[in-house]
Amino acid sequence: MGGPFARSPREHSDEPLPGFKLAYPMLAADGASCGFSGVTLGRAHVYRAVDDAICAHGSRHACPSRWCDCGFYCFHEMGAARDLACEPDHRSAVLLEVAASGRYRRYERGLRYARQRVKTVRIGRCDCGRPAELLADSGAGSVGWRRLLPVCRNCAADRPVLRPERFAELAGGVQVVLEGSPTGLGDPPADPTAAAPAAAAPAAPAEDPGTVALLSAEIAVLHARLDETLVRLEEVQARLDELTRRDRP
Ligand SMILES: [Zn+2]
Ligand SMILES: [Zn+2]
């Protein structure tokens, strides 16, 4: 069968392609397995360390489809994922190093693809800014899954936690790295009450202009993708109109 769907260019890779992305670490309600959930599209869906994409909108088409935004996403560069992690909404996410395979489509800064293997999970900082060493229950989640929160030992206090080695095991043998995500911030002063006056301390600017520029670029990319989606929607609508007109007696 012909039609516009058959004409859409596709790419396929049997060789795994490296990529980087953010995700929330998840623990199954029965505590027997771990997985990941997306930070933007498909937030409600939990995927395993090795998994195939399904349509986030409940369609039964193969992912990724030209006509839909579903599928796994990754960046080509680890830096792009780290930049996204600076956004307040994503600060509790972990950074994944993945191998993408199967059908894929390119976008400006990465790939959208069908099959994924999570190789490495990089755990960054606790909300308080200290390097995170444990995973605690965040209080958020989806049906059957609790979302885990990277925390430092101080903030974990006596909360129930999952150790990173256990997460690695329950996720099916991924590598977990505690990296404390370098932020460029230094050690705290030995005595906070004796901190030097602000004028005498040339500290890092509160708003890193580089981060602002990168987030602005990210917004521009999202706008471009939205425009592209609207153009496609019009194309499909026009084709549908044409077909329904033709079928009319
Ligand atoms: Zn879809
Ligand atoms: Zn902390």
Side-chain angles (χ1 to χ4, degrees):
M1 189 188 132
F5 293 90
R7 283 203 305 270
S8 72
R10 283 175 191 164
E11 293 184 88
H12 184 279
S13 177
D14 292 322
E15 282 293 298
L17 303 165
F20 305 91
K21 66 193 293 179
L22 298 184
Y24 294 120
M26 308 292 285
L27 174 65
D30 63 3
S33 60
C34 286
F36 306 89
S37 85
V39 296
T40 51
L41 185 74
R43 243 172 209 266
H45 176 66
V46 174
Y47 54 85
R48 308 292 183 146
V50 177
D51 220 335
D52 293 303
I54 57 160
C55 179
H57 308 288
S59 293
R60 271 176 291 178
H61 56 231
C63 296
S65 162
R66 182 180 173 187
W67 312 102
C68 192
D69 58 0
C70 60
F72 288 122
Y73 283 79
C74 72
F75 291 111
H76 292 309
E77 306 288 338
M78 189 189 287
R82 283 204 198 285
D83 291 340
L84 197 58
C86 294
E87 215 191 341
D89 276 357
H90 301 146
R91 286 192 62 152
S92 59
V94 295
L95 197 157
L96 305 184
E97 288 179 38
V98 301
S101 58
R103 285 153 45 90
Y104 71 91
R105 306 188 69 85
R106 293 174 190 281
Y107 73 98
E108 296 82 347
R109 299 169 69 187
L111 297 175
R112 183 156 68 90
Y113 50 99
R115 191 167 171 78
Q116 175 175 274
R117 185 163 75 83
V118 177
K119 294 159 67 183
T120 306
V121 180
R122 293 180 174 274
I123 295 181
R125 300 221 163 203
C126 177
D127 244 5
C128 72
R130 296 185 189 89
E133 291 178 68
L134 300 160
L135 295 165
D137 186 348
S138 70
S142 53
V143 177
W145 294 89
R146 296 176 205 286
R147 189 201 288 179
L148 299 174
L149 180 71
V151 290
C152 71
R153 289 189 181 276
N154 280 21
C155 294
D158 55 359
R159 295 162 77 176
V161 292
L162 195 65
R163 300 179 61 78
E165 311 84 81
R166 185 71 180 138
F167 179 87
E169 207 178 305
L170 293 177
V174 298
Q175 191 196 0
V176 178
V177 177
L178 298 178
E179 60 173 15
S181 93
T183 60
L185 299 172
D187 292 332
D191 179 1
T193 59
E207 288 294 331
D208 178 359
T211 303
V212 172
L214 285 161
L215 290 177
S216 304
E218 186 73 19
I219 287 169
V221 167
L222 291 173
H223 275 291
R225 203 181 301 153
L226 181 63
D227 289 345
E228 195 189 6
T229 305
L230 290 173
V231 168
R232 283 175 191 168
L233 183 63
E234 280 168 17
E235 285 171 5
V236 175
Q237 187 64 58
R239 178 77 179 137
L240 184 64
D241 290 345
E242 189 189 315
L243 288 171
T244 47
R245 259 200 311 277
R246 194 189 297 163
D247 287 348
R248 220 168 276 153

